[in-house]
């Protein structure tokens, strides 16, 4: 059974206010007490949770900010979960599929077969324990991470870098980088929130110091800012007299 919890989460669509690289989970259910408890339980275990109450809202959420996993109720007030999954899979095409765990009060073989046919990764029947669902979420994400490209990713806020494919996204938008820009961003991401001196960056990215000529670093920082921070909250910051840091804006 769902285990009661004493804290509360505001109703509606909610994203945990954290700026780390936690896996993003979209919880879709029209029963507010279920989404509230799941948001609290998953959030406590380090997940960044968004919750919505309808099929159409879930499709909009996926398009706005692709989650790492979806917990999807089958019985929804507008589009049912199966139709939501069909549309998501159709939009994904031949690309990597976002894992889906169906959540339902229906426990028939035909429903489970339909869920599997649509590419679900697990099927949880109500009533359920929050602890069990959290473990299933972790297991599905582990399986998805071991499936190929994308298992080695660096992330900070809404900036994501895939070390296998060398793809970079900011707020879901693909960012095209040159090899040097990629190395520079990778070094900043590996050391997120840590202030790096100009010499450290020059030595790591270019493998030697530019004697008396740090302008090349300033030039590439400018290139990165134009591509990464353009139109978004700035993540690349200058620390005067020291160097640079990748962090969230202050204030």
């Amino acid at each position: 059974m769902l285990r009661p919890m004493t804290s509360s989460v505001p109703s509606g669509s909610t994203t945990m206010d954290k700026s780390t690289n936690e896996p993003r989970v979209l919880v879709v259910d029209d029963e507010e007490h279920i989404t509230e408890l799941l948001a609290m339980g998953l959030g406590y275990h380090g997940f960044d949770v968004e919750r919505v109450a309808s099929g159409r809202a879930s499709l909009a959420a996926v398009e706005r900010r692709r989650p790492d996993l979806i917990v999807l109720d089958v019985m929804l007030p507008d589009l049912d979960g199966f139709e939501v999954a069909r549309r998501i899979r159709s939009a994904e095409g031949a690309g990597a599929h976002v894992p889906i765990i169906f959540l339902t009060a229906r426990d028939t073989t035909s429903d489970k077969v339909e869920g599997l046919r649509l590419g679900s990764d697990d099927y949880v029947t109500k009533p359920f324990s929050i602890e069990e669902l959290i473990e299933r979420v972790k297991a599905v994400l582990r399986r998805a991470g071991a499936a190929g490209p994308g298992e080695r990713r660096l992330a900070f806020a809404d900036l994501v870098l895939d070390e296998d494919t060398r793809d970079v996204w900011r707020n879901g938008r693909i960012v095209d980088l040159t090899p040097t820009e990629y190395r520079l961003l990778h070094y900043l991401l590996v050391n997120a929130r840590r202030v790096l001196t100009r010499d450290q960056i020059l030595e790591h990215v270019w493998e030697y110091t530019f004697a008396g000529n740090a302008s090349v670093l300033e030039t590439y920082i400018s290139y990165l800012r134009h591509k990464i921070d353009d139109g978004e909250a700035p993540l690349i910051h200058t620390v005067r007299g020291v160097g640079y840091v990748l962090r969230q804006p202050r204030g």
Side-chain angles (χ1 to χ4, degrees):
M1 296 290 292
L2 286 173
R3 183 169 298 175
M5 304 178 77
T6 57
S7 302
S8 62
V9 176
S11 61
S13 176
T14 303
T15 303
M16 303 300 289
D17 183 19
K18 297 181 180 179
S19 57
T20 59
N21 59 340
E22 300 139 333
R24 298 192 299 273
V25 177
L26 176 64
V27 177
V28 188
D29 198 304
D30 62 333
E31 297 183 66
E32 185 177 341
H33 72 284
I34 290 181
T35 60
E36 185 172 319
L37 288 171
L38 288 178
M40 291 172 58
L42 289 165
Y44 179 79
H45 283 81
F47 293 93
D48 178 4
V49 182
E50 180 176 2
R51 55 194 180 102
V52 296
S54 70
R56 296 189 190 281
S58 70
L59 293 173
V62 171
E63 184 175 354
R64 180 175 64 252
R65 186 172 183 234
R66 179 184 172 91
D68 296 298
L69 182 141
I70 303 172
V71 178
L72 179 59
D73 186 29
V74 172
M75 301 296 291
L76 293 170
D78 49 1
L79 305 174
D80 68 33
F82 292 148
E83 178 60 24
V84 170
R86 287 189 194 96
R87 297 191 184 191
I88 290 173
R89 294 298 186 232
S90 175
E92 288 171 329
H97 288 175
V98 57
I100 295 175
I101 297 178
F102 278 118
L103 186 63
T104 182
R106 304 191 310 201
D107 189 23
T108 66
T109 299
S110 61
D111 284 340
K112 291 183 178 180
V113 169
E114 178 67 5
L116 292 171
R117 189 182 69 80
L118 291 169
S120 70
D121 296 84
D122 208 339
Y123 196 100
V124 177
T125 304
K126 300 176 183 178
F128 59 89
S129 75
I130 294 177
E131 291 81 2
E132 178 189 359
L133 182 58
I134 290 170
E135 290 307 312
R136 286 175 181 259
V137 167
K138 291 179 180 178
V140 169
L141 285 173
R142 282 195 298 269
R143 293 199 300 269
E151 75 176 285
R152 296 196 306 158
R153 289 189 173 187
L154 300 175
F156 182 81
D158 57 359
L159 176 64
V160 181
L161 181 150
D162 190 314
E163 293 181 310
D164 291 322
T165 66
R166 298 175 73 90
D167 288 328
V168 174
W169 300 267
R170 179 75 200 269
N171 194 22
R173 168 181 58 86
I174 192 74
V175 180
D176 186 26
L177 300 179
T178 67
T180 301
E181 291 166 350
Y182 174 88
R183 289 196 302 272
L184 176 56
L185 180 63
H186 184 277
Y187 189 52
L188 291 171
L189 266 170
V190 167
N191 293 280
R193 300 191 186 87
R194 177 186 174 193
V195 176
L196 299 169
T197 68
R198 291 176 175 84
D199 284 345
Q200 285 176 317
I201 299 172
L202 287 168
E203 290 174 7
H204 184 87
V205 177
W206 283 271
E207 298 183 354
Y208 62 92
T209 58
F210 289 79
N213 182 16
S215 62
V216 65
L217 173 57
E218 295 174 2
T219 299
Y220 274 93
I221 287 289
S222 176
Y223 292 160
L224 265 189
R225 280 176 169 152
H226 178 71
K227 293 183 177 183
I228 298 296
D229 289 343
D230 187 32
E232 306 287 349
L235 295 179
I236 302 171
H237 299 270
T238 301
V239 180
R240 187 169 298 180
V242 182
Y244 300 94
V245 60
L246 188 77
R247 61 167 174 78
Q248 292 273 43
R250 291 174 180 167

